[in-house]
Amino acid sequence: MCYIVMHSMEPDMAKTATLTLRVSESLKEKLGRYAEQTHRTPSAVAERGLEAFLDREMEMLEAIEQSRADFREGRTVSHEEAMARLQATIDRHRAKI
């Protein structure tokens, strides 16, 4: 294990904070290689990656919560109806091809 201390000093960032992460040596090396190849700092790469990951995960969590609320409120369809809707969507897209 190794520690990476991220402190972004990128010019387009008004305020930054320091975050210390424990990562494997292989991840640290991969981060360094990617940063070098893209002419970015490891901190900037890690920040972008973490932000993209969290945006995607938060979107999933929000969708799950919305689904739970729909279920609680009785906004559901039968399995047969769901499958029919999926098939109709597939058919529409196949027709475009």
Side-chain angles (χ1 to χ4, degrees):
M1 292 285 173
C2 70
Y3 289 93
I4 295 178
V5 176
M6 297 188 310
H7 183 77
S8 184
M9 297 295 286
E10 299 298 315
D12 61 335
M13 306 177 102
K15 293 184 179 183
T16 62
T18 299
L19 173 66
T20 303
L21 301 173
R22 187 183 316 200
V23 299
S24 67
E25 284 289 337
S26 63
L27 181 57
K28 180 184 176 192
E29 291 170 9
K30 189 184 294 186
L31 176 63
R33 285 194 313 272
Y34 185 84
E36 187 175 314
Q37 291 175 359
T38 59
H39 307 288
R40 296 185 178 120
T41 64
S43 190
V45 171
E47 181 178 15
R48 279 190 151 186
L50 186 57
E51 184 168 10
F53 171 79
L54 290 173
D55 286 348
R56 185 179 67 244
E57 291 296 309
M58 292 302 294
E59 187 177 319
M60 294 277 280
L61 289 175
E62 289 166 7
I64 289 168
E65 185 51 42
Q66 181 61 52
S67 296
R68 288 177 173 167
D70 288 344
F71 182 77
R72 284 190 301 271
E73 297 296 321
R75 293 184 297 264
T76 62
V77 296
S78 68
H79 175 73
E80 292 76 18
E81 175 65 19
M83 294 308 293
R85 289 181 187 183
L86 286 171
Q87 190 60 55
T89 300
I90 291 169
D91 293 344
R92 274 195 314 277
H93 287 283
R94 281 190 180 150
K96 293 179 183 179
I97 297 175

